[in-house]
């Protein structure tokens, strides 16, 4: 997977993304938004896509959305204008692996179904931690691979196909725990399954106050 390839894949998804993925990811979106709004303040949503989650944020939260796909962002900007969402500060192009924001710019970083869709997941996680303030949270909804058994074998077999579609099927949770183990400034505070079918999880990672 490459950044350019992912951008092209999601440009192709843009016209039908809400129809295909909207219902599947509804509960995950709601869980991530609730977790983010509990902290509130400045929220960065990485991989904002068509902006399908933006109407769900509390009016008091200030949200910036970034995405690698211009076609997806066009949908997001239209949604913000059409719904009159006044708590959206910006919708702009952004690469999860190289965010164009200063250190500690946000109280919360939200990444919904993004980490398994970037070329270098650990780089994206490093960037999330960099732009999140101490005491803030990184809130992720993520695919979690089976790693073994029949489902695991199927996921590995499908990888060449799904990579071209813009996401990975073979995606172990150890990617997160291994990354956390390399850092002193973050800690895992929640991991719980979210529908459908137990293939996805909500992950909350805290940025330590005194790292």
């Amino acid at each position: 997977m490459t950044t350019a390839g992912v951008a092209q894949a999601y440009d192709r998804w843009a016209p039908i993304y809400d129809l295909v993925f909207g219902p599947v990811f509804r509960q995950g979106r709601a869980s991530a938004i609730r977790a983010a709004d509990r902290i509130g303040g400045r929220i960065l949503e990485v991989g904002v896509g068509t902006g399908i989650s933006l109407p769900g944020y509390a009016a008091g939260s200030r949200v910036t959305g970034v995405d690698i796909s211009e076609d997806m962002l066009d949908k997001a900007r239209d949604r913000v204008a059409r719904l009159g969402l006044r708590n959206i500060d910006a919708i702009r192009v952004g690469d999860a692996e190289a965010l164009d924001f200063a250190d500690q710019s946000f109280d919360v970083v939200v990444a919904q179904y993004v980490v398994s869709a970037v070329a270098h997941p650990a780089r994206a996680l490093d960037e999330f931690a960099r732009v999140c303030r101490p005491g803030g949270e990184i809130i992720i909804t993520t695919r979690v691979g089976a790693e073994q058994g029949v489902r695991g074998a199927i996921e590995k077999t499908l990888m060449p196909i799904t990579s071209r579609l813009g996401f990975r099927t073979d995606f172990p949770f150890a990617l997160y725990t291994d990354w956390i183990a390399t850092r002193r400034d973050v800690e895992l505070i929640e991991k719980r399954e979210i529908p459908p079918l137990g293939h996805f999880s909500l992950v909350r990672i805290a940025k330590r106050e005194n790292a």
Side-chain angles (χ1 to χ4, degrees):
M1 294 177 69
T2 65
T3 300
V6 172
Q8 291 172 0
Y10 282 92
D11 282 345
R12 292 193 296 269
W13 278 117
I16 59 170
Y17 184 89
D18 289 3
L19 179 65
V20 175
F21 294 107
V24 174
F25 293 155
R26 181 180 293 117
Q27 293 188 57
R29 284 197 305 274
S31 296
I33 291 167
R34 282 195 299 269
D37 277 337
R38 280 199 293 268
I39 301 170
R42 300 158 300 166
I43 298 173
L44 173 65
E45 182 166 329
V46 181
V48 70
T50 65
I52 192 171
S53 64
L54 295 178
Y57 287 102
S61 295
R62 306 304 309 179
V63 183
T64 295
V66 299
D67 201 279
I68 200 69
S69 164
E70 281 279 15
D71 288 0
M72 297 285 264
L73 289 173
D74 285 344
K75 298 280 188 182
R77 294 183 186 108
D78 177 70
R79 192 187 303 269
V80 170
R82 178 164 40 85
L83 299 179
L85 302 179
R86 298 183 179 180
N87 62 332
I88 309 304
D89 287 340
I91 299 294
R92 52 192 274 196
V93 172
D95 181 352
E97 298 179 27
L99 294 170
D100 187 21
F101 299 104
D103 296 355
Q104 304 179 19
S105 292
F106 297 94
D107 301 290
V108 189
V109 177
V110 177
Q112 301 194 52
Y113 309 101
V114 168
V115 181
S116 62
V118 298
H120 305 97
R123 291 185 196 172
L125 293 170
D126 284 341
E127 283 292 273
F128 300 168
R130 181 182 66 78
V131 302
C132 184
R133 67 161 173 83
E137 287 188 19
I138 302 165
I139 297 168
I140 297 169
T141 51
T142 183
R143 177 174 179 78
V144 178
E147 300 186 49
Q148 57 188 354
V150 174
R151 182 183 143 203
I154 292 170
E155 289 170 347
K156 287 180 173 63
T157 301
L158 289 175
M159 270 290 290
I161 298 170
T162 60
S163 293
R164 290 196 293 273
L165 294 175
F167 58 92
R168 293 176 174 86
T169 46
D170 181 21
F171 197 80
F173 188 72
L175 183 145
Y176 295 101
T177 54
D178 289 350
W179 174 77
I180 290 168
T182 68
R183 303 185 62 107
R184 301 175 59 185
D185 59 342
V186 298
E187 62 178 322
L188 179 66
I189 56 174
E190 183 180 12
K191 174 190 179 286
R192 60 182 167 89
E193 289 186 358
I194 49 177
L197 305 174
H199 291 187
F200 303 95
S201 292
L202 176 75
V203 178
R204 293 172 54 222
I205 299 170
K207 183 83 175 285
R208 296 181 190 271
E209 292 270 14
N210 300 305

